[in-house]
Amino acid sequence: MNFLRRRLSDSSFVANLPNGYMTDLQRPDSSTSSPASPAMERRHPQPLAASFSSPGSSLFSSFSSAMKQTSQAPLGPMESPGPSTPVVQRPRILLVIDDAHTDWAKYFHGKKVNGEIEIRVEQAEFSELNLAAYVTGGCMVDMQVVRNGTKVVRSFKPDFILVRQHAYSMALGEDYRSLVIGLQYGGLPAVNSLYSVYNFCSKPWVFSQLIKIFHSLGPEKFPLVEQTFFPNHKPMLTAPHFPVVVKLGHAHAGKGKIKVENQHDYQDITSMVAMAKTYATTEAFIDSKYDIRIQKIGSNYKAYMRTSISGNWKANTGSAMLEQVAMTERYRLWVDSCSEMFGGLDICAVKAVHSKDGRDYIIEVMDSSMPLIGEHLEEDKQLMADLVVSKMSQLPMPGGTVPSPLRPWTPQTKPAKPPGQAQLGPPLGQPQPRTPTQGGPRQAQSPQPPRSGSPSQQRLSPQGQQPLSPSSGSPQQQRSPGSPQLSRTSGGSSPNQVCKPGTTLTSQPRPPMQGRSTSQQGEESKKPATPHPHLNKSQSLTNSLSTSDASQRGPPSEDEAKAETIRNLRKSFASLFSD
């Protein structure tokens, strides 16, 4: 009691008391041992408007101001802020693997991904590249090139790749298949795909795909040249007929090809194959009138005819006359069928030979590293650039969206509700009430099934007779009558009913709380509760403050919560001064 007298003499403490307490507790003739003041306070309650009229007059506000600041964080779904300023996207890095004869930067000048993201072109040959690929970090490419006599060293992470160079050639001693593996390891998209680029590193492997198309379409629609494969020199004993063309290993631009006229020359070539330690193929020599090349870049088709004027049996060696011919359906079928191999070829070309007897023979297919020919070189390069931009626009853009600083909303799972039971909780998206721990600090709790006697929602069994929680006699549920808790049932008693230990709420047909009038709510909120004679005073005060804080958040009506807070405080002071 001396502690209470010292607290009442403190001006800052008294200033935070409601007006009703100041008139009853600060009178000189009032005695703390007389129960008259609490009784008079109960007979003449002060209106709610007067209790909350002046700012800073609520005792509840002084005790729980810090808790209000932490409890104002929303628990339901959050709304995103207003429209933010547009984010400047970083330019997409395009790595073009090609020699320095073609400046690909000018063909991508002014082009943007999705019309808004710039494209930065990095161009180098396979011999000027190195890389490191990671599972989650992508692919880091190191480039060392010489531009105008100056050595340029750069490291970057490409977003897309255009392959315009052969990754493997036995004739030149170039083998960059390990770089193709590293780019594929880093998950980089490319034109053509890195999967197809790696498969094109062996001409017999590609020819096996032509054999499949040959068997699918037939010799009339897809006339494939007759060819024999030898993994080494040992089975190369003789040829069925002469002359034949022997192709040694994997090479380009006419290299590694030999025309054999008789059996003696064939035996000499066999010894050369043994020295090369590689595979070889033989095919019948075709006395050609001209060569045919059908190319496809995206959806653009072109057909060319090349006639040798130097007398060389290789039309691509020496002097030749080139002219563009009409694109027929037969040629379109050839190139469309070949463009489907290895998951799809965006850029490809089919080479065929037209013999002097008027028959056509398909001899080879090329990928995106094919050389461009004819009078439309600039147009073809522009078509490739447009194709690359189109492919880049179809890819998901990393970092295109700005992550929201707000906590993402996680939908809360709700337990299954028996048929016929009314919904007791607040609507979806409102903060769920949390149960305070008696006699200790409150901690944030995850949504749990409600407990009997707590200010959270109380669920009943389908029969409506007993609460679903069987442990109604636990210490956390046995609340003192001096600190009443709010409890609601699906059809039951008043929202401010006092739950005594061992009391079981039964469901009664009554309208829900939302349907009651304001006067009925006010009358029920003013019903006093009888204090327990053996209630500990400090425990009663702690429970009252915890109850008032929980009631402030639990009930859906703010006025009802404030009324409950004042009523609990008055009862607490009444029990303190009644002794």
Side-chain angles (χ1 to χ4, degrees):
M1 297 305 293
N2 295 330
F3 168 78
L4 289 176
R5 290 190 183 95
R6 288 195 300 268
R7 295 295 292 171
L8 290 176
S9 63
D10 190 358
S11 59
S12 61
F13 177 79
V14 176
N16 289 328
L17 290 175
N19 298 332
Y21 288 108
M22 293 178 62
T23 56
D24 289 339
L25 300 177
Q26 284 189 317
R27 289 191 304 221
D29 56 346
S30 61
S31 175
T32 56
S33 61
S34 175
S37 296
M40 292 295 295
E41 183 64 28
R42 286 195 297 269
R43 292 194 201 98
H44 305 284
Q46 192 171 359
L48 294 176
S51 301
F52 292 92
S53 58
S54 59
S57 62
S58 173
L59 180 62
F60 169 74
S61 300
S62 63
F63 280 102
S64 61
S65 59
M67 298 303 298
K68 283 183 178 180
Q69 296 177 0
T70 58
S71 64
Q72 287 177 356
L75 301 178
M78 297 183 176
E79 296 181 358
S80 59
S84 58
T85 57
V87 180
V88 179
Q89 300 284 349
R90 69 169 181 86
R92 296 293 180 261
I93 301 177
L94 169 65
L95 173 60
V96 180
I97 303 177
D98 197 3
D99 53 37
H101 296 294
T102 303
D103 184 14
W104 283 97
K106 71 176 185 179
Y107 297 100
F108 289 93
H109 179 70
K111 298 184 182 297
K112 297 182 179 181
V113 179
N114 293 323
E116 57 182 11
I117 304 177
E118 298 286 344
I119 299 177
R120 195 182 91 192
V121 179
E122 299 286 351
Q123 182 175 342
E125 300 183 27
F126 272 117
S127 59
E128 300 169 331
L129 297 177
N130 212 334
L131 59 86
Y134 310 92
V135 175
T136 58
C139 185
M140 178 64 70
V141 176
D142 299 328
M143 182 177 69
Q144 296 184 7
V145 298
V146 178
R147 294 290 184 264
N148 299 325
T150 304
K151 186 177 181 180
V152 180
V153 180
R154 264 199 299 271
S155 297
F156 55 89
K157 283 188 175 182
D159 298 296
F160 203 89
I161 301 174
L162 172 61
V163 181
R164 290 285 299 136
Q165 192 178 31
H166 298 292
Y168 179 57
S169 176
M170 291 184 178
L172 301 177
E174 298 175 343
D175 187 1
Y176 303 109
R177 288 176 291 183
S178 58
L179 293 178
V180 177
I181 295 174
L183 296 174
Q184 177 74 2
Y185 193 96
L188 294 175
V191 169
N192 288 340
S193 67
L194 297 173
Y195 173 74
S196 66
V197 171
Y198 190 84
N199 280 277
F200 266 85
C201 290
S202 176
K203 286 192 174 182
W205 183 266
V206 177
F207 199 87
S208 67
Q209 300 297 314
L210 296 178
I211 297 175
K212 291 183 179 180
I213 302 175
F214 170 76
H215 290 302
S216 176
L217 298 179
E220 295 295 331
K221 294 183 178 180
F222 197 82
L224 186 63
V225 67
E226 187 69 27
Q227 190 181 85
T228 305
F229 173 79
F230 300 99
N232 49 61
H233 72 286
K234 295 180 180 179
M236 297 180 63
L237 301 178
T238 183
H241 50 78
F242 293 96
V244 295
V245 177
V246 179
K247 296 180 179 180
L248 198 64
H250 180 80
H252 308 281
K255 297 181 176 65
K257 299 178 182 179
I258 307 171
K259 179 183 177 182
V260 180
E261 297 287 349
N262 51 54
Q263 179 67 26
H264 298 287
D265 295 340
Y266 187 81
Q267 292 298 328
D268 294 338
I269 293 301
T270 302
S271 63
M272 298 301 295
V273 175
M275 293 298 295
K277 297 181 180 180
T278 183
Y279 53 80
T281 59
T282 62
E283 59 188 43
F285 173 77
I286 301 171
D287 190 7
S288 64
K289 185 178 181 180
Y290 55 85
D291 290 353
I292 304 171
R293 169 169 161 162
I294 306 101
Q295 71 179 29
K296 178 182 179 182
I297 302 176
S299 59
N300 183 269
Y301 298 83
K302 287 185 179 70
Y304 294 94
M305 180 179 66
R306 183 173 55 186
T307 306
S308 176
I309 60 178
S310 62
N312 197 314
W313 66 274
K314 299 178 183 179
N316 59 349
T317 303
S319 299
M321 183 177 61
L322 183 68
E323 61 177 317
Q324 186 174 357
V325 296
M327 188 69 189
T328 64
E329 291 299 326
R330 179 181 173 87
Y331 294 163
R332 188 185 299 270
L333 176 63
W334 293 355
V335 70
D336 285 342
S337 301
C338 293
S339 66
E340 296 176 358
M341 64 175 60
F342 303 127
L345 305 177
D346 298 304
I347 301 174
C348 64
V350 176
K351 293 176 64 176
V353 176
H354 184 77
S355 64
K356 292 181 179 180
D357 59 2
R359 301 179 62 181
D360 295 330
Y361 298 92
I362 298 174
I363 60 174
E364 188 181 358
V365 60
M366 298 180 290
D367 64 344
S368 60
S369 59
M370 65 181 185
L372 298 178
I373 60 176
E375 300 177 354
H376 306 284
L377 295 179
E378 295 297 320
E379 178 186 352
D380 293 341
K381 294 176 183 178
Q382 195 63 54
L383 289 172
M384 289 186 178
D386 295 339
L387 175 64
V388 169
V389 174
S390 175
K391 291 293 182 179
M392 294 179 68
S393 300
Q394 297 174 8
L395 297 174
M397 295 178 294
T401 57
V402 180
S404 175
L406 301 178
R407 176 177 58 88
W409 173 66
T410 304
Q412 300 177 356
T413 57
K414 302 175 69 176
K417 183 171 57 177
Q421 183 177 355
Q423 182 180 358
L424 304 179
L428 183 62
Q430 294 184 1
Q432 300 288 340
R434 294 176 292 183
T435 306
T437 304
Q438 181 175 355
R442 295 185 293 111
Q443 299 178 354
Q445 300 177 357
S446 60
Q448 298 178 355
R451 301 174 180 176
S452 175
S454 64
S456 60
Q457 308 149 1
Q458 184 176 5
R459 294 170 52 248
L460 301 181
S461 61
Q463 290 79 10
Q465 297 298 327
Q466 294 181 357
L468 292 179
S469 177
S471 58
S472 59
S474 60
Q476 202 167 12
Q477 291 176 340
Q478 292 180 353
R479 304 289 183 182
S480 172
S483 57
Q485 305 292 326
L486 296 179
S487 61
R488 282 181 287 165
T489 59
S490 59
S493 56
S494 65
N496 297 328
Q497 182 178 357
V498 178
C499 300
K500 297 181 180 181
T503 303
T504 302
L505 299 180
T506 58
S507 176
Q508 298 178 3
R510 189 169 184 178
M513 185 176 62
Q514 288 80 356
R516 303 178 193 175
S517 61
T518 307
S519 60
Q520 293 177 352
Q521 295 181 9
E523 293 176 2
E524 292 180 357
S525 62
K526 295 179 181 180
K527 293 182 180 181
T530 306
H532 198 278
H534 301 287
L535 176 66
N536 183 272
K537 298 179 181 179
S538 61
Q539 183 180 3
S540 174
L541 180 59
T542 305
N543 293 344
S544 300
L545 296 178
S546 300
T547 304
S548 61
D549 194 5
S551 302
Q552 179 71 14
R553 295 189 309 270
S557 175
E558 185 177 359
D559 294 340
E560 183 180 356
K562 293 179 179 180
E564 180 70 15
T565 300
I566 294 300
R567 183 168 56 86
N568 291 335
L569 291 175
R570 289 173 177 172
K571 287 186 292 183
S572 301
F573 276 97
S575 60
L576 289 173
F577 292 107
S578 61
D579 297 337

